[in-house]
Amino acid sequence: MGPIAKVTSDEDVRQAADYFAAIKPMPWVKVIETATPPKTYVSTAARHRLVVPGGGTEPIGHRIIEIPEDPFRTANRDPHSPFLAYVPPGSITKGEALVKAGGSGKTIQCVICHGDELKGLGEVPRIAGLQPVYIARQLICIQNGSSAGTAAALMKKVVSNLSEDDIIAISAYLGSLPPQ
């Protein structure tokens, strides 16, 4: 990308920025609270979870389970093929309390940096409507110090006291929000 960027005119950069800024995010994942999601396995070919062909359910425990809504479309790399995210019951409400007011004695309050609707504020990106597994992974990486940068350093203090259940709840809530 470096050589291409060096020869790109300021006008081309402005037009590209305008184009990408005009694209509205679309819902990518539907969050479903349940104690017993469909039984799944990790497909080595697809590199994500799929529903076990024989059916059945399994206890969710302390997990987020994401599966494609339409495995055929996902296998064919359809960029508009949505996912389903199963989360433990009560996760969305608990996550909302943590995100908005820092429930359970924890001071999270994501709205301070990410805006009242969590759709971004200035240079700070939106977190509403992102995939719960992605959000959880980012929070864990920030928490354990494997994310670099100024933003990660600032967030490390904010997320350092979150439990695994807190991270699941925050991820479930943020994933349940519309992205636009």
Side-chain angles (χ1 to χ4, degrees):
M1 289 296 296
I4 294 170
K6 286 180 184 176
V7 297
T8 304
S9 72
D10 290 344
E11 177 60 18
D12 286 343
V13 169
R14 187 195 60 72
Q15 286 181 8
D18 289 347
Y19 170 79
F20 287 108
I23 296 173
K24 299 297 179 207
M26 47 190 258
W28 181 260
V29 65
K30 179 180 179 184
V31 179
I32 301 166
E33 290 185 325
T34 182
T36 54
K39 194 172 209 173
T40 61
Y41 69 99
V42 177
S43 166
T44 55
R47 296 186 300 181
H48 55 256
R49 289 191 167 276
L50 294 173
V51 174
V52 170
T57 60
E58 61 184 329
I60 193 145
H62 301 281
R63 301 183 291 168
I64 299 170
I65 298 174
E66 282 189 9
I67 60 170
E69 191 172 287
D70 183 339
F72 179 77
R73 285 178 58 198
T74 301
N76 286 305
R77 305 285 190 233
D78 179 345
H80 304 291
S81 183
F83 279 72
L84 302 172
Y86 295 97
V87 298
S91 294
I92 295 172
T93 300
K94 179 182 177 186
E96 181 178 18
L98 286 164
V99 164
K100 288 187 174 179
S104 305
K106 301 192 165 90
T107 54
I108 308 303
Q109 298 183 23
C110 303
V111 297
I112 293 170
C113 295
H114 294 275
D116 289 337
E117 295 182 19
L118 305 165
K119 295 177 183 173
L121 191 60
E123 296 286 318
V124 181
R126 79 172 165 90
I127 52 177
L130 297 176
Q131 286 183 282
V133 168
Y134 170 79
I135 295 167
R137 186 180 304 121
Q138 294 304 311
L139 290 173
I140 290 166
C141 286
I142 291 167
Q143 198 176 51
N144 70 26
S146 62
S147 280
T150 306
L154 292 171
M155 281 194 59
K156 184 172 175 63
K157 191 178 238 183
V158 175
V159 302
S160 63
N161 293 325
L162 294 177
S163 69
E164 184 177 295
D165 286 338
D166 292 338
I167 289 174
I168 290 169
I170 290 167
S171 301
Y173 172 66
L174 293 174
S176 74
L177 297 174
Q180 42 184 336

